[in-house]
Amino acid sequence: VMLCHGEVDPIAKVEWSRKSFDYLSALGLPTQGNIYPGLGHEFAVMEVTDIREFIQKVVPPSFQVTVKKPLGAVMVEGDDGFVQIKDVKEGSNAQASGKMQSDDQIVRVNGKLVKTAGFDAVMAELVAAEGEVTLTLARPIPDRDIDFSTLSEAEQAARYSRTGVIKVCSDGPCTRQGAKNVIRWLKDLTPAEFSVSKCGCTGNCGNGPNVVVGGKGKEEKVLYGRNTVGIVVKMLREEYDIETDSKMVNSIMNPAKDASFGVRDELVRQGILASITVKGSFESNRF
């Protein structure tokens, strides 16, 4: 459960959310709560972003893959009851599928829902399948709010192998030059499974915000200069075969209100403007 509330809401009192949070938590329900300073009976960009990321985390994107038996994948049951792939064996049918990765969660086996059925139930369905099996897998979204340096070596290596990795320097100079804006833009412009997080100093201070891009077998590159977001978008297209949403790019670059300028585009624009802490940082981060 996620609760979002404006701190100065004159209609629905913020105390109601606090009491609801305490009550739901006492029932044992996993509950998150965000109170937004200065916000009344309305919604804000950060609130919409938080809700979107919450949904992506709780209900991660799913996909199907058909694999011949034997699969050649090691599976384990997590604390939450989900059965997930721990490892994909080299040369196996699972690896040959080109889709299965460690940490993928098994949602269905040949159409049957096994999401929280447990390890034994999943194994029974896999054993009963003949020839090949169609799996519906869910791929958890990486935490995009974490400092990359706080991850363990195993977690960092997993991100580099499974997804692309973008790290935005958030030390003093880069923060003053708009790192907060850059992280927000890149979260919106990249697929949800692409790791986007802040990191420590990358050198060349004062010429940022600096962005590090790597993963998926690509050589890690450090990008410097005022136009790092635009360079990242170009690199994703040319080196990672990832197409960014052209409408989103255009709305950030040129937020002119026309018939195609939607509510979410306006929210993104307002969020960028609201996050500016240094005069001129918006102009310096244009594509």
Side-chain angles (χ1 to χ4, degrees), residues 111-189:
K112 183 174 181 179
L113 183 64
V114 294
K115 185 175 181 180
T116 56
F119 184 84
D120 291 340
V122 171
M123 289 300 106
E125 293 298 324
L126 291 174
V127 170
E130 297 183 2
E132 60 183 24
V133 59
T134 298
L135 301 175
T136 300
L137 304 174
R139 182 159 297 162
I141 301 300
D143 185 353
R144 292 176 147 198
D145 294 321
I146 197 167
D147 187 326
F148 196 84
S149 63
T150 64
L151 296 172
S152 67
E153 289 186 6
E155 290 173 319
Q156 291 185 16
R159 289 202 180 193
Y160 274 112
S161 64
R162 290 199 304 264
T163 69
V165 173
I166 295 177
K167 298 179 290 185
V168 180
C169 177
S170 296
D171 269 12
C174 283
T175 294
R176 291 191 292 273
Q177 291 169 328
K180 185 177 179 181
N181 304 336
V182 170
I183 292 174
R184 180 175 297 171
W185 289 335
L186 291 177
K187 282 183 178 181
D188 278 331
L189 291 171

Side-chain angles (χ1 to χ4, degrees), residues 68-269:
K68 292 181 179 180
K69 295 177 62 177
L71 303 184
V74 179
M75 302 178 187
V76 296
E77 182 174 340
D79 296 335
D80 51 10
F82 292 108
V83 175
Q84 62 187 42
I85 297 172
K86 182 180 180 181
D87 186 34
V88 175
K89 297 297 184 181
E90 187 174 353
S92 66
N93 291 326
Q95 186 186 54
S97 73
K99 292 185 177 181
M100 298 176 68
Q101 297 180 0
S102 59
D103 291 340
D104 285 348
Q105 299 172 346
I106 300 178
V107 179
R108 294 179 183 270
V109 177
N110 285 337
K112 183 174 181 179
L113 183 64
V114 294
K115 185 175 181 180
T116 56
F119 184 84
D120 291 340
V122 171
M123 289 300 106
E125 293 298 324
L126 291 174
V127 170
E130 297 183 2
E132 60 183 24
V133 59
T134 298
L135 301 175
T136 300
L137 304 174
R139 182 159 297 162
I141 301 300
D143 185 353
R144 292 176 147 198
D145 294 321
I146 197 167
D147 187 326
F148 196 84
S149 63
T150 64
L151 296 172
S152 67
E153 289 186 6
E155 290 173 319
Q156 291 185 16
R159 289 202 180 193
Y160 274 112
S161 64
R162 290 199 304 264
T163 69
V165 173
I166 295 177
K167 298 179 290 185
V168 180
C169 177
S170 296
D171 269 12
C174 283
T175 294
R176 291 191 292 273
Q177 291 169 328
K180 185 177 179 181
N181 304 336
V182 170
I183 292 174
R184 180 175 297 171
W185 289 335
L186 291 177
K187 282 183 178 181
D188 278 331
L189 291 171
T190 55
E193 65 272 14
F194 213 96
S195 176
V196 178
S197 59
K198 61 184 179 179
C199 69
C201 182
T202 57
N204 202 7
C205 298
N207 191 31
N210 304 333
V211 179
V212 183
V213 183
K216 287 194 172 182
K218 307 288 186 181
E219 181 183 354
E220 190 169 80
K221 296 181 180 179
V222 183
L223 310 176
Y224 303 105
R226 295 181 176 181
N227 193 29
T228 46
V229 176
I231 298 173
V232 170
V233 170
K234 185 174 184 290
M235 180 182 293
L236 292 177
R237 183 183 301 114
E238 295 179 353
E239 299 187 24
Y240 291 83
D241 296 322
I242 294 176
E243 289 294 334
T244 52
D245 186 335
S246 57
K247 289 186 178 179
M248 180 63 69
V249 172
N250 186 63
S251 70
I252 293 175
M253 290 173 61
N254 306 299
K257 295 189 177 182
D258 53 38
S260 63
F261 194 81
V263 172
R264 189 174 182 283
D265 297 323
E266 173 65 8
L267 292 176
V268 171
R269 186 186 73 83

